[in-house]
Amino acid sequence: MESRKSRLVAVYAGSFDPITKGHLDLVERCAPLVDELVVAVLRNAHKNPLFSLQERVDMLGEVLRGFPNVVVDSFDGLLVDYARSRNALLLLRGIRAISDYEYELQMALMNRRLAPEIETMFMMAGEAYSFISSKLVKEVIGLGGDIRGLVPPSVEERLKERFRAQGA
Ligand code: PNS
């Protein structure tokens, strides 16, 4: 087997609106396996995010500050083009339940077709986090529910501020 001489870079792309404990768990488990993990926020024109791109990048920066080999960035266009621009060979994706599988399979196969040299790497969400999604967290706090432990404390503060400002 030929040994790899270049740095192993992985891209973990997503909306991160906002980052949850599930995302954080994945970063914690993947970062030690690679030389560099790029956490990249999609500048998504289609979704209507709660937090602006800058806010999401700032939150990720705050939460991931302690990881020496984790870089936070944003991108638009095709993920594989972005990954190539960062010399990444891996795309990291988390899978929570079987319901995630179909969408993830489609994306992984499309990305492989577009960029056969780039591999999608799936990691199972930690069992304590497998029910968490950014969407549900926003719904729960928006309806006055307790989201403690579902997102990092700094993100919880931002969410509370945002919903207070919106008069929820
Ligand atoms: O956290 P999300 O919203 O599930 O992340 C989805 C994301 C950002 C990984 C996906 O929408 C994406 O890669 N978008 C970039 C555009 C692209 O490459 N589309 C083709 C993917 S098959």
Side-chain angles (χ1 to χ4, degrees), residues 78-81 83-84 88-91 107-121:
L78 283 177
L79 174 56
V80 290
D81 288 342
R84 279 175 171 151
L89 285 181
L90 288 177
L91 303 175
M107 279 207 301
L109 294 181
M110 182 61 82
N111 283 332
R112 189 191 293 164
R113 186 192 161 95
L114 294 168
E117 80 282 12
I118 297 177
E119 197 62 61
T120 300
M121 180 171 85

Side-chain angles (χ1 to χ4, degrees), residues 13-16 42 47 75 77-80 93 103-104 106-107 110-111 114:
S15 309
F16 302 107
L42 174 66
K47 289 188 187 175
F75 77 104
L78 283 177
L79 174 56
V80 290
R93 294 293 292 170
Y103 170 57
E104 294 299 334
Q106 269 188 328
M107 279 207 301
M110 182 61 82
N111 283 332
L114 294 168

Side-chain angles (χ1 to χ4, degrees), residues 17-18 20 133-140:
D17 185 40
T20 68
S133 68
S134 303
K135 182 168 173 268
L136 269 190
V137 166
K138 288 180 283 190
E139 183 173 322
V140 169

Side-chain angles (χ1 to χ4, degrees), residues 14-130:
S15 309
F16 302 107
D17 185 40
I19 178 175
T20 68
K21 283 279 189 77
H23 296 127
L24 177 57
D25 171 62
L26 230 64
V27 170
E28 275 169 354
R29 287 160 48 215
C30 181
L33 306 178
V34 296
D35 295 303
E36 182 177 87
L37 176 59
V38 181
V39 179
V41 186
L42 174 66
R43 298 184 209 137
N44 194 339
H46 304 302
K47 289 188 187 175
N48 186 17
L50 177 64
F51 293 103
S52 70
L53 176 69
Q54 193 56 53
E55 287 172 318
R56 286 179 279 154
V57 167
D58 289 348
M59 277 187 277
L60 283 165
E62 277 165 36
V63 172
L64 304 178
R65 178 166 46 212
F67 296 88
N69 65 335
V70 173
V71 176
V72 176
D73 195 11
S74 63
F75 77 104
D76 56 16
L78 283 177
L79 174 56
V80 290
D81 288 342
Y82 174 71
R84 279 175 171 151
S85 78
R86 301 230 42 146
N87 293 318
L89 285 181
L90 288 177
L91 303 175
L92 172 66
R93 294 293 292 170
I95 293 220
R96 289 163 301 189
I98 193 77
S99 48
D100 285 340
Y101 178 79
E102 209 167 326
Y103 170 57
E104 294 299 334
L105 177 70
Q106 269 188 328
M107 279 207 301
L109 294 181
M110 182 61 82
N111 283 332
R112 189 191 293 164
R113 186 192 161 95
L114 294 168
E117 80 282 12
I118 297 177
E119 197 62 61
T120 300
M121 180 171 85
F122 292 108
M123 289 178 74
M124 296 300 149
E127 55 274 29
Y129 309 112
S130 60

